[in-house]
Structures are given as C-alpha cells and as structure tokens.
Amino acid sequence: MNAVTIVIASMCILMIAYRLYGTFMTVKVLKLNDAKPTPAHELNDGKDYVPTNKWVSFGHHFAAIAAAGPLVGPILAAQFGYLPGLLWLLIGAVIGGAVHDAVVLFASMRKKGKSLSEVAKEELGPVAGFCTGLAMLFIITITMAGLSMVVLHALEQNPWGTFAVGITIPIAMGVGIYYKKTGNLKLASTVGFILLMIGVFIGPSIQGTALGDLLTLDTKTLAIILPIYAFFAAALPVWLLLAPRDYLSSFMKIGVFIALIIGVFVINPAIEFPAITEFIGGGGPILAGPVWPFISITIACGAISGFHAFVGSGTTPKMLDRWSDIKVVGFGAMLVECLVGIMALIAATALQPADYFAINSTPEVFRTLGMDVVNLPQLSQEIGLDLEGRTGGAVTLAVGMAYIFTGIPWFANLASYFFQFVIMFEAVFILTAIDAGTRVARYLIQDFFGEFYKPLKKVDWLPGSIFASALACFMWGYLLYSGDIGSVWALFGVSNQLMASIGLIIGATVILKIADKRRYMLTCLVPLAYLFVTVNYAGYWMIQNVYLNPAAAGYNVLNGILSIIMLVLGMIIMITAIRKWISMWNSPRVELEAMSA
C-alpha cells in the first residue's frame, strides 16, 4: 500500500459524501431556508452576534474544532495498524461526525444560538438540561486542560514556536479592526496572511538573542500565560481577536496539510506499517486496550467529537449569515478535519514501525518489544534532537512530516526546519481551539449559574462576562498547572465521545420534531447507538483496569470518580431522551413546525 492511493481514495469518498449526504442532511432532513434571518441578524449586537462571511465563519469554525484530536489521535491509533484508523476516520466522519456537527449547529441556531444545555432543557426537560449543563462543564474543563497540555509540551523551551504563535495575536487584532472598519475581507486576509508568514519565518532568527532567551519558557510559566491569553480571547468582542485569529490560523492549518498532500504525491512514500498489528487485541505499548472501543476513543475529533458541540452551540451559531451556511461550516468543516486526521495517520505510518514505537513509548517499554530502530538515529541527528521516548503523538507527527518533506530533493537538508515548523504549526492548530473553547466555557458558566443569579444569563453583561471568563480560565488553568499529560489527557477521549453522544441525542430529538419523515431520525440514531455503547464500555474498561486498579500505571481515583459521574450523567440524559421520543412518537402527528430555519 502506498500513501497516494490512500489520499486519492479518501478525498473522493469525502467529496462524494459532502455532495450527496451533506445535501440530503441540509435540504431534506433539516430543510434549511435562507428566507428566515439567522440569530446573527436577529440579535446583532456587534460583539457576540455578528453576521459573518461564510468563509470567515468556516475559517473560525474549522480552526476552533480542529485541535489535538485529528493530529494526535490517529498517530496513537496507528499502534493497531493503518487500516482500523483509516476505516474509522472515513466511516465515523461521514456517518457520525459531519451529521453531529450539522445538527448541533442547527439545533442551537433554532434556539437563537443558545448553548447545548439550554437546548436540552427546552427539548428534553429540566432534568436533562441540568445534567447536560453539568456534563458540559466537566467535559469542557477537562478538554481545555488536555489541549493546553499538548501546547505546553510543543512550546516548552522553544522560542521560535513561542514567537510564531504569539505574533498571531496582534496580527489578528489588526486584521479584525481593519475588517470591522472597511469591510474589505480580501485585503485584510492578504495582509494578515503575509504578516503571519513573515512572523513564522522570522522565528528561527530570534534563537540565541535576548528576545529568544525571554521567550524560552518552562511549562509552569506557559501554564500561567495560556489561561491569561484565553481570558482575553473569551472576554473581548468576537470580531476583535477570536474570529480573525482563527480565520488567519486556518490558512496555515489548511496550507500545511495541502503542502503535505503535495509532498505525498511527489514522494509517494510507502506505508511501512502493516494493515493490522499484533496489538489489535490489546496490550500495546501506547494503548493498553483492544482496538474496539479504543480506536474510536483515541481518534476522537478526527471522526466525531463532542468538543465540536461546544463550538457548534457556542460561537459559530451566533455568526452564520445564512442558514444554508450550515452545510459548508458544519458538515464540510468536519470532512476537512477528517482529511487532516488521514494525513496525520499517513505521516505516522510512513515511519518504520520500530522508529514509531521508539518515539511513542518510554525506553524501558520499547526495550521489551524486541524491535531495532531503523532510521531514527539519522533523523535525530538531522533534526538535532534526541527523539526517543517523546510520547504523546505531537513529536511523531513532526518527525513524520519532516521525513516526507525532506524526501523532496530541494528540501533534503531542512529536516530541523521542518520539524520545528510543524511543532509550531501544531501549537497554533490547538491554541485556536483553546481560545474558542474557553469562550464557549464562558457561555456555559453564564447559562448554568444564571439559573441562580439571573443577570449572568445576559451574555452582553460585562461584569458577568468577566466573571465567567475568569472562572473558566481558573478551572482548566488549575488542572493544567498542577497536572501532567498522564493525569489530564487520560479522561479526554471518553469525555469527548460522551459529549458527542449527548449532541446526537439532542439532534435526534430536534429531527423527530421538525422532519416530515420520522425515519430521518435514523441519521442520528445509527451513529448514536454505536457511540453510546462504545463510550460506556470504554469508560467501564478504563475504570476497572486503569483508574481504580492500584497495580496499573494510570491508577488515579479522581479520574475514576470523574469518569463514573460523567457516565451516570450520560445515562440519565439517554433515559430521559428515550422517554421523550416514545411520547413524541405515540402522540398524534401535529402539523410540523414551520421550518425553524
């Protein structure tokens, strides 16, 4: 098997799915109608509700949802071979992820851009609404801490990366102000992109200078800086920092992976991994569990992600200019993210298996595998960094992409440059999800605590915005500062997929209410059935074999308790939803809601 075959086949499948299934979902199932104004027009306040160009909305949404999952998840899942990951990426994204993102975005826009917990309360009742809100607070806190932990390790002692990431903030604010005043998107985009590239390429020159020394930061310092940045991203008007920064970052995200696709076509690297490895039944050096359920739990965002529900019921529904933009922004962005995950999988599996396992497992564990590294010593020398034992997936992606790029003769001597560039690119990729996620956490906190203090419900009330933003940053910032990648990241996969299940539950409820054919509900029920069983079994497996097992390396009672709480909340929401569905199904068929969109 070679990489070009995989890329061509995957792109064809995703384009056909967008054209056919995406049209079916938005036209037949959701019945989108641009004659009705969107919440961005109805509630336009120039701050949170702002009608936004379709492609700017796509850039923001894609930048916000495409975080660590599609980069790190497929790389870790490569332990099972290239085939399980590839199949789940394609099947999960088309049948599950794209549908989930579109229906959650639609459901939120029907309720004036309200959060998923508020939508759940109105559609399923107060118990489900409370449980959804509580589950979302748990999950968004764990998610933000987990994503930030990856950024910490990407920027730690890396002045080039820190500079290149930091420079995007003033550039984005300048673009936001200019576009707000002139409305000239093309010029704003062009100038912003050029400045972004200049910032990236200046990065290497600051190493060894006073500025470079200032930007050489340890993890504890970065763990303080990141929540402070996220506070301003959550509290400032969306047009000033969040939307333009995510929009500009999306150029880099998409551009790098287009470059990787071109590199794959030029080099056509062989996939060195077998289709299925010996670890498919469990007991692997990276993932202890078997291929099911952990292929879905590990890949997460590349196929279907609950984190997308936060963005799809947070910032994005307050920005869409037309209802039909849901197809491009909701359905389309998920398919693009799937392609990102496939390219990450290729970057990992193009490495020799022994080299891959040497990077992603500790030296002690690697020695037990009886494998001998092949190209890793040479790669370490070219990059100028000892690559063994750098677990977590981020370094593997950088090594794999550098390995592919340097196969082009012009770039043969630029391994260290490409490695550092990709490390920086990963940080930008993930950071855009952190700032959007923190803003969503702010909305959640205002909704949840607004039940006890009504003024907090007003998203435009400045004291409430500041309080909620600060509380959100403190919650995940505390986990970030006091934890490590093992204690924080372990919960991410299960909690993320549980949130996706909740999103599909609410989507199924909305479709049952508005669709002219009740069987359209299956578009949500089919992926929901698989995901709900998967996430509950995975949670049970982790609780029994890891979190509450004193002999396990990941023994952590707090993680076990949090897992139990989240799974119970998910079960309550599911039972409440089933009762609601039965009631709706058995009630006399009333006239359908006029297209709420």
Side-chain angles (χ1 to χ4, degrees):
M1 179 66 70
N2 58 58
V4 169
T5 302
I6 292 176
V7 173
I8 292 176
S10 299
M11 291 177 69
C12 288
I13 291 170
L14 294 174
M15 286 189 289
I16 292 170
Y18 177 78
R19 178 69 181 85
L20 298 181
Y21 198 40
T23 301
F24 171 75
M25 282 298 306
T26 53
V27 175
K28 292 289 187 180
V29 179
L30 302 181
K31 304 191 300 293
L32 301 183
N33 179 8
D34 287 336
K36 183 179 177 65
T38 63
H41 286 283
E42 286 186 294
L43 304 173
N44 188 350
D45 59 7
K47 184 180 179 183
D48 292 301
Y49 291 86
V50 182
T52 306
N53 176 278
K54 174 172 64 177
W55 296 110
V56 176
S57 296
F58 175 90
H60 155 72
H61 187 78
F62 175 73
I65 66 172
L71 297 180
V72 175
I75 288 172
L76 300 180
Q79 170 187 279
F80 301 121
Y82 72 82
L83 188 59
L86 180 63
L87 290 176
W88 174 243
L89 280 164
L90 291 171
I91 296 171
V94 173
I95 304 299
V99 171
H100 168 274
D101 291 11
V103 297
V104 167
L105 184 53
F106 173 77
S108 178
M109 290 176 68
R110 287 180 69 251
K111 301 298 181 182
K112 311 302 181 187
K114 290 182 179 179
S115 72
L116 205 60
S117 62
E118 291 294 298
V119 176
K121 183 185 300 180
E122 295 187 25
E123 298 291 355
L124 298 174
V127 174
F130 176 82
C131 290
T132 300
L134 192 58
M136 290 177 75
L137 280 176
F138 270 112
I139 293 166
I140 196 68
T141 300
I142 293 167
T143 300
M144 291 300 96
L147 295 179
S148 300
M149 190 66 71
V150 178
V151 174
L152 242 62
H153 290 290
L155 299 183
E156 179 188 5
Q157 306 298 322
N158 187 356
W160 176 16
T162 303
F163 173 80
V165 171
I167 201 69
T168 63
I169 298 172
I171 292 174
M173 294 181 74
V175 167
I177 292 170
Y178 180 80
Y179 177 59
K180 180 74 172 177
K181 289 184 177 294
T182 66
N184 191 333
L185 178 62
K186 289 184 178 179
L187 183 58
S189 301
T190 303
V191 173
F193 182 69
I194 291 172
L195 291 174
L196 186 64
M197 289 299 99
I198 291 173
V200 169
F201 287 105
I202 286 177
S205 65
I206 72 165
Q207 297 185 109
T209 66
L211 179 59
D213 293 340
L214 182 65
L215 295 177
T216 304
L217 305 173
D218 58 23
T219 54
K220 291 300 184 184
T221 304
L222 286 166
I224 296 172
I225 293 174
L226 283 178
I228 292 174
Y229 159 73
F231 168 79
F232 287 103
L236 289 173
V238 69
W239 60 264
L240 179 58
L241 176 56
L242 185 69
R245 187 185 184 282
D246 289 358
Y247 173 64
L248 290 174
S249 296
S250 67
F251 281 112
M252 175 178 285
K253 293 181 176 186
I254 296 173
V256 167
F257 275 93
I258 289 175
L260 180 57
I261 291 171
I262 293 172
V264 166
F265 274 88
V266 172
I267 301 301
N268 192 15
I271 300 299
E272 301 291 348
F273 266 61
I276 297 174
T277 70
E278 62 189 280
F279 303 116
I280 195 166
I286 301 168
L287 303 169
V291 66
W292 185 83
F294 288 98
I295 191 71
S296 304
I297 298 301
T298 304
I299 286 180
C301 306
I304 181 170
S305 171
F307 175 69
H308 297 188
F310 292 103
V311 181
S313 66
T315 52
T316 304
K318 300 174 177 65
M319 297 168 61
L320 292 199
D321 185 43
R322 301 187 304 170
W323 286 91
S324 59
D325 291 349
I326 288 176
K327 181 181 177 182
V328 174
V329 177
F331 202 94
M334 179 63 241
L335 298 186
V336 175
E337 183 172 359
C338 172
L339 184 60
V340 171
I342 290 170
M343 297 311 298
L345 180 66
I346 288 173
T349 55
L351 297 172
Q352 289 289 337
D355 295 346
Y356 164 86
F357 284 111
I359 296 172
N360 283 284
S361 53
T362 63
E364 296 77 18
V365 171
F366 180 69
R367 282 194 292 270
T368 67
L369 301 180
M371 296 180 175
D372 295 318
V373 295
V374 181
N375 298 319
L376 197 60
Q378 180 183 347
L379 288 169
S380 296
Q381 185 177 4
E382 292 175 353
I383 290 171
L385 193 67
D386 183 10
L387 299 174
E388 290 190 27
R390 293 185 174 267
T391 59
V395 169
T396 305
L397 178 63
V399 172
M401 291 181 71
Y403 178 70
I404 291 173
F405 283 134
T406 53
I408 301 173
W410 295 338
F411 304 144
N413 298 317
L414 298 176
S416 60
Y417 179 87
F418 281 118
F419 176 84
Q420 290 286 1
F421 182 85
V422 174
I423 288 291
M424 177 276 302
F425 152 77
E426 290 179 280
V428 170
F429 210 99
I430 296 166
L431 201 59
T432 50
I434 292 172
D435 50 28
T438 303
R439 194 177 189 92
V440 172
R442 170 200 141 193
Y443 296 146
L444 283 174
I445 290 171
Q446 289 186 258
D447 279 340
F448 192 77
F449 289 103
E451 296 296 327
F452 308 100
Y453 186 64
K454 295 300 181 185
L456 275 175
K457 286 277 189 182
K458 301 177 183 177
V459 295
D460 58 349
W461 185 48
L462 185 59
S465 298
I466 293 173
F467 165 76
S469 299
L471 181 59
C473 293
F474 174 79
M475 287 165 61
W476 67 257
Y478 175 78
L479 284 178
L480 179 67
Y481 188 84
S482 61
D484 56 43
I485 193 68
S487 63
V488 173
W489 188 260
L491 286 173
F492 173 72
V494 171
S495 64
N496 179 272
Q497 299 297 280
L498 177 62
M499 191 66 240
S501 299
I502 295 171
L504 287 170
I505 288 171
I506 294 169
T509 308
V510 171
I511 290 174
L512 182 60
K513 179 179 289 188
I514 63 100
D516 54 357
K517 296 180 181 179
R518 285 175 167 175
R519 66 175 180 268
Y520 287 165
M521 189 182 178
L522 290 172
T523 57
C524 287
L525 290 185
V526 170
L528 172 60
Y530 169 81
L531 203 62
F532 195 74
V533 172
T534 298
V535 75
N536 277 277
Y537 179 70
Y540 167 77
W541 194 96
M542 290 296 293
I543 292 167
Q544 182 184 47
N545 294 285
V546 180
Y547 297 145
L548 301 185
N549 179 7
Y555 174 67
N556 189 307
V557 175
L558 177 61
N559 285 357
I561 293 172
L562 290 175
S563 296
I564 292 170
I565 291 173
M566 288 188 294
L567 293 177
V568 169
L569 290 172
M571 191 64 68
I572 293 173
I573 295 167
M574 175 61 88
I575 293 171
T576 304
I578 291 174
R579 294 175 63 184
K580 178 74 173 181
W581 296 340
I582 294 172
S583 173
M584 293 171 66
W585 193 277
N586 292 332
S587 63
R589 188 68 167 169
V590 297
E591 184 180 349
L592 293 170
E593 293 183 16
M595 173 33 215
S596 309

